[in-house]
Amino acid sequence: MQIIQFLLLFLLYLKPIYTAIQRLTPISLNEQSSIGTSIYDLSRVYSSSSNLYKFSFLSDSSPHNSFFIIDSLTGRISIKRMIDREELCQTHICNCERCILTLEIIASSQSIDILSLDITIININDNQPLFPISIFHIRLSENTDIGYISSFPSAADLDFQDRLEYRILAFNESSDQDLFETFSLVNLHTENQLGLR
């Protein structure tokens, strides 16, 4: 990182900076997009003189850059490795509410331009809801009071935790009616718990 900063400062003394940081039009990208997919072409910015420019990332150590590769001659930016939004969130590479990766790019020719590209990573439903254990037992005596609530662990879904819906399903159709008349699910408004009334 220090070497890159030193080289950048050295280049600044040799070549004038044409602009301050130039913010490019932000783009959106679905997580799990295919490796090799072209996501941005800097020739759109340098349409008449793109072959005179050399392109590179400002810093090789940025975690945001590790997901992308830039062609130094054409300025085409492509996906280098799989992007998993949930992993980015869990490792704090991006904000869980709105996941944005920012690429900072150097375009050098007779002058040096520094470009900034924001990429919003769109969440797709690639994780299924899972309970912490596959089977749990709730034991009730036959004279349990009507309205009694027994708690059990709720499911987790890395994609849509706030929008999970639950329902009771019977193992066989003959017990459906009895089951629905006897039991209902209750939101206990506590983390990781549901209630069976």
Side-chain angles (χ1 to χ4, degrees):
M1 181 70 173
Q2 292 176 338
I3 293 172
I4 292 170
Q5 290 173 337
F6 173 77
L7 289 174
L8 183 59
L9 289 173
F10 181 74
L11 289 172
L12 294 179
Y13 287 112
L14 295 179
K15 298 180 181 180
I17 295 180
Y18 179 68
T19 60
I21 294 179
Q22 181 181 349
R23 299 219 171 269
L24 302 173
T25 303
I27 62 170
S28 297
L29 176 67
N30 284 337
E31 68 169 329
Q32 306 294 341
S33 292
S34 300
I35 294 171
T37 301
S38 177
I39 62 160
Y40 202 88
D41 193 343
L42 290 169
S43 65
R44 297 184 337 199
V45 179
Y46 298 94
S47 55
S48 60
S49 57
S50 63
N51 58 346
L52 303 175
Y53 279 85
K54 300 287 185 242
F55 302 96
S56 63
F57 290 125
L58 181 61
S59 168
D60 288 334
S61 61
S62 167
H64 294 199
N65 296 349
S66 68
F67 295 95
F68 304 97
I69 189 167
I70 186 168
D71 185 308
S72 63
L73 299 177
T74 65
R76 177 170 287 133
I77 301 171
S78 304
I79 298 173
K80 180 169 134 182
R81 66 186 181 110
M82 195 59 68
I83 300 171
D84 183 341
R85 189 181 186 281
E86 291 73 38
E87 179 185 329
L88 295 175
C89 172
Q90 291 170 347
T91 56
H92 305 288
I93 291 176
C94 74
N95 181 308
C96 295
E97 292 297 315
R98 188 161 182 245
C99 184
I100 298 176
L101 300 179
T102 301
L103 302 181
E104 292 180 333
I105 302 155
I106 297 174
S108 61
S109 181
Q110 299 301 318
S111 61
I112 294 177
D113 294 346
I114 300 175
L115 312 170
S116 179
L117 175 63
D118 287 340
I119 304 168
T120 301
I121 306 301
I122 306 297
N123 192 19
I124 61 172
N125 192 5
D126 58 338
N127 293 288
Q128 63 180 350
L130 295 172
F131 284 97
I133 53 176
S134 57
I135 297 174
F136 38 85
H137 300 276
I138 298 175
R139 300 193 190 287
L140 301 171
S141 63
E142 64 180 331
N143 60 350
T144 300
D145 292 335
I146 293 174
Y148 174 82
I149 297 173
S150 181
S151 66
F152 62 96
S154 62
D157 184 331
L158 294 173
D159 292 309
F160 300 109
Q161 185 61 40
D162 296 337
R163 292 184 272 168
L164 289 180
E165 294 180 13
Y166 299 89
R167 66 177 181 229
I168 298 173
L169 297 175
F171 278 120
N172 58 53
E173 292 180 19
S174 63
S175 62
D176 275 1
Q177 195 59 36
D178 290 341
L179 188 68
F180 300 136
E181 288 177 0
T182 308
F183 297 103
S184 63
L185 292 175
V186 180
N187 184 348
L188 297 179
H189 301 289
T190 60
E191 192 173 341
N192 304 322
Q193 292 289 307
L194 288 174
L196 183 68
R197 174 182 285 129

